[in-house]
Amino acid sequence: MLSDLSARRDPGRRGWLRGAPPPRWIRALPVGLTAVVCAVAVLSPEPMDIGFVLGAIPPLAVLSYGPVATALMGAVALVLLTAPVFRLGHPGDTDLETVCFVAVLSVILAFVRSRRDAQLDLERTIAEAAQRAVMPSLPPRVGPVRCAGLYRAAQRGTLVGGDFFDVRAGPYGVRAVLGDVQGHGLAAVATVAALLGSFREAVLDRSELTAVAAALDRRLAVDTSEERQAELFATAALLEFTADARSVHVITCGHPPPVLLRDGRATEIGVEPWTPLGLGLSGGVPRKAGRRVALRPGDVLFLASDGVFEARDADGAFYPVLQRLPRLADEDPSDVADRVLADVLAHCGTVRDDVTILVLIPCPPDGPPTAR
């Protein structure tokens, strides 16, 4: 099935120590320790001098519980320590005061942690909403083209980095873009937002795909002149499908060309590339550029960022995209993005760059081709 951007995020990116809720075994530690101490004390024929273990219950509760639950567990520890039925030795006043002090300190720490977690959750929610506004979920279908997008940002905890993609329908057909901005992480989000905004506007106003590329180039050139960053640039691949999705026009600006999956084989679409965007060359854009490719039923177009094409294993070998794609797409082409990401991670273990994949499946209608 075709899943959206948020559903395709790597589930292992955010662990317990990075803000995720604690696992169940952490939450069970203070309760389990209490039960073990009680069971050992009751079942032992002789009194057990293990009351000191109860002092660890409140600090363990801090890891996953709030101040009220932590206070309750601290009170339980004091009751167990002093109850004669458990025969936990003869704790003195110093022992009781120590456990009481640890319990009170644990309650304070639990209060601070709960307030901090609430603030972090709020900030994370706001950040995710802002990032999704920059690059919203990709619809499963745009006109006669089925779409599947995958994004795995290099910077942990983010949804958007230095890569971008979008598929939009307009008066001149369905147009798609996948690009890679210089740098990655949150520092590149502003540039990504500017490029996507320019692309969405050009889809509606520019009749030629070359003019769309020129608009993106101009946007980056203007931003570079206004900012202190003098070497801002981006690579991109742009596609334009005819109204019946029987052919596609491809332009690449310093980006790897799309890969065409056809009849169990994967081949790069040979196209003469432009220079990367942002170098101020839009005034010299030729009127005719790129390549038009006739499409057949069952064809699949695969686009990816450098995080896929330049992924290397421990020996420095690049990920063999063209060799792996036919096998990964032999079942359901719409799931190829997920399979490629899993295969890339198996190949190199970890990926330090943004990984972006866009899969486009043209669905031409039955009947003879229509004029553009």
Side-chain angles (χ1 to χ4, degrees), residues 151-307:
Y151 197 108
R152 183 185 189 270
Q155 184 169 335
R156 293 181 180 271
T158 63
L159 301 178
V160 178
D163 291 356
F164 62 95
F165 62 80
D166 200 3
V167 183
R168 296 276 166 163
Y172 309 104
V174 174
R175 288 168 170 171
V177 63
L178 185 144
D180 184 357
V181 174
Q182 174 196 17
H184 54 77
L186 294 177
V189 173
T191 305
V192 168
L195 285 174
L196 285 175
S198 181
F199 170 76
R200 291 160 186 168
E201 182 178 357
V203 164
L204 302 176
D205 299 335
R206 306 297 178 100
S207 60
E208 297 293 335
L209 189 61
T210 54
V212 176
L216 300 183
D217 179 71
R218 183 173 181 271
R219 175 73 273 163
L220 268 188
V222 170
D223 289 348
T224 300
S225 64
E226 294 177 351
E227 299 291 336
R228 274 73 62 190
Q229 191 172 1
E231 298 180 354
L232 182 63
F233 66 90
T235 63
L238 296 97
L239 293 84
E240 179 183 272
F241 294 87
T242 55
D244 57 8
R246 293 185 185 273
S247 69
V248 63
H249 185 193
V250 180
I251 289 176
T252 60
C253 304
H255 198 83
V259 176
L260 176 64
L261 287 162
R262 172 182 290 172
D263 299 331
R265 294 188 302 174
T267 56
E268 285 188 346
I269 296 178
V271 55
E272 184 177 355
W274 291 5
T275 55
L277 302 172
L279 301 182
L281 303 179
S282 57
V285 167
R287 296 299 300 170
K288 295 182 180 180
R291 179 182 175 185
R292 291 191 181 276
V293 179
L295 299 174
R296 306 174 188 171
D299 286 351
V300 177
L301 292 168
F302 175 89
L303 298 92
S305 64
D306 292 342

